[in-house]
Amino acid sequence: MDIRQIILDTIKSQKYKGMDASHLSRALKMEDSTSFTELMKCLNDLEAEHILARDQRERYFLSETLGYVIGTLRINPKGYGFVETGEQSFYIARDRLYLGMDQDKVYAKTWTNNDGSVEGEVVEVLEHNTNHIVGVVKIRENQEKYFLPDTPMRDRRIKVTNFHEFKVVNDSKVLLTIDSYGQTLKCHIERVIGYKYDPGVDILSILLDHGVIPEFSDDVMREVQNIPEQIDPKEKEKREDLTGILTITIDGDDAKDLDDAVSVEKIDKGYRLGVHIADVSHYVTAGSAIDKEAYRRGTSVYVVDRVVPMLPHMLCNGICSLNPRVERLTLTCMMDIDKKGEIMNYRIFPSVIKTTERMTYRKVNDILAGDEAAIKEYPHLLKMCMYMKVLSGIIRKRRESLGAIDFDTREAKILVNAKGKPTDIVLRERGEAERIIEDFMIAANECVATHVKWLETPSMYRVHEAPEPKKVRDFARTAKTLGYTFQGGIQSVYPAQFSNMLKEAKGNENYFVLSSFMLRSMQKARYDNRCLGHFGLALKEYLHFTSPIRRYPDLVVHRMLRKYVFTQCENADKMKKDEAWCEEAANQASMRERIAVDTEREVDDMKKAEYMEKYIGCVYEGVISGITKFGMFVELENTVEGLIHISTIEDDYYHYDEVSKSLIGEHTANVYRMGQKVKVKCVNADRFKREIDFELMTKKKKRKNKRG
């Protein structure tokens, strides 16, 4: 056995209590100079690889034993960060970030504080994943240019080496590429985005800052030109022809990438549900320029006035889109579902369809509501729409019986004019049609996941693991302050515990606050090549099959179905290689999904702040949605959220109570709790900082003297 393995076996043994190099050399009988040199070289290598670490007494331990972790650094716009390892997340104060940047792979030391909270510090940056910076060029009176990043960088200098190559004015927005890292970042201007105050530049800046590039490369566009605009008749012969079945797409009014269609008919013991998904894998082949770019992007990104698609428009709006009354290649999951919501029989197969109508959620909701005009326009769809409603209810009832959690959070839709200026913020409707499609897609995703799991073929699953006990405990305390008791154990939790609490809160004023905090207590859903189940949906098997136009994981699932199910490849070496690739692709897809979510949220925050700039001085009624040491957040009916800083509450001096998550007045004993209604005035809004400040509308009272 080699010396490296001997060292690791010794340190991993239960009897090991910690030894320095000298004690280790004696224990391993490596005290002579040659052996000791070999021992030290091996120890140094293991330490450099972050497998071992030393404590304050120079004793060697496994790095995780001393609280060291390797993870991804996520930096909040306010300056602090978190190191995420996949299983856990550790808070990093802004003065403990070392030289880490957002998305960097880092080696960090963590510890537990007296109050039970865990935090850490970055020890080393292992891999830089931030390659670009967005900001503005500023010009001094002497015409000297300097760069101001949109996201402030503490104690970092930025040196731009090629100002002379670009014509820029004061407040030009630019994208920099980082050439070298360190205390000073050496960068060059990659492109001039535009003038800071020009329409659309604000959103484009956020997109580019997150590496979301709207344009496709020349190589990708050349490949797109070679893709046919109509399906090949020879390909149609290889597939099951479903063009005679009544089939419809149901999407939003402005959707153009239609990747799912449904058909429903009544059968003896229940209903036959067909979920037909665009066969993107037929056109986007593995290893092509289009495929490599789709892998890099991971997902389409939807912001208020535009979409940055995963695939070029000629594909996602053209030959891959299930446009009405034209033949399209699809993969179909056909399920026979009984009246208890259980799948009696199913088939997954390549098909060709021709959708009968391009329906919208609004039109289907009108039909289901009995709107005469809608029924008159689509009389041939009335029976199927009614079947869809009944079947959806059956599927949902079965999922609810398993304990599925329906967070039902409010989602804002920001309306903008032609210049990108926000004109209104409204709540997105989630009507019956929206729920129907959601239920049908979940049913298909579960069915395909079950199929590939039991066949043991390589694939990519959508996993959502049970929340950590600490987060459940924190949530239970928060729920208690809102008037709800978390029933059951905390160490081993079940979805029904959360689902039942939401049912109890339904209809109450603080429902959305409870739902929001419940969501925060959960682990983040992600992709994995292992089938680990989906806690939120209360399902043992789940994956994403239904949106290959806008999500790369769905495209991977389609490819693996084609390779191992439709053609039944049984090559063990290929399977092993594909399993490893699916693991790598899952990590990439999870990262890109997170970036897309952050990008969409930042754009929303910016546009909400811009919208509120017009309403400074206006008074609103809102609900306290969060309380911290420095103040409380209040959410308005339209989801706009602002901060009331603790220093601006003038009727008393307030202390933050960690246990009850409340602010308590020192003299008046006045208490502010989450879920409480308050009246606020908007006193400041800044679109560039993406911040909104409220002031509490209270009657000012004289603070009593402490001795009084």
Side-chain angles (χ1 to χ4, degrees), residues 460-477:
M460 189 188 293
Y461 296 90
R462 181 66 167 176
V463 303
H464 184 225
E465 292 152 294
E468 300 163 13
K470 181 185 180 300
K471 287 194 173 182
V472 176
R473 197 174 294 111
D474 289 345
F475 167 71
R477 281 204 299 262

Side-chain angles (χ1 to χ4, degrees), residues 590-629:
S590 298
M591 181 189 75
R592 292 308 304 178
E593 179 192 36
R594 185 69 185 276
I595 288 171
V597 169
D598 288 348
T599 304
E600 291 164 3
R601 186 182 294 124
E602 282 187 28
V603 171
D604 280 357
D605 289 347
M606 178 182 67
K607 288 299 174 184
K608 285 178 180 180
E610 185 179 359
Y611 176 76
M612 292 304 290
E613 286 175 354
K614 300 178 289 186
Y615 298 102
I616 292 174
C618 293
V619 176
Y620 300 91
E621 192 173 73
V623 173
I624 298 174
S625 55
I627 294 183
T628 67
K629 294 175 182 177

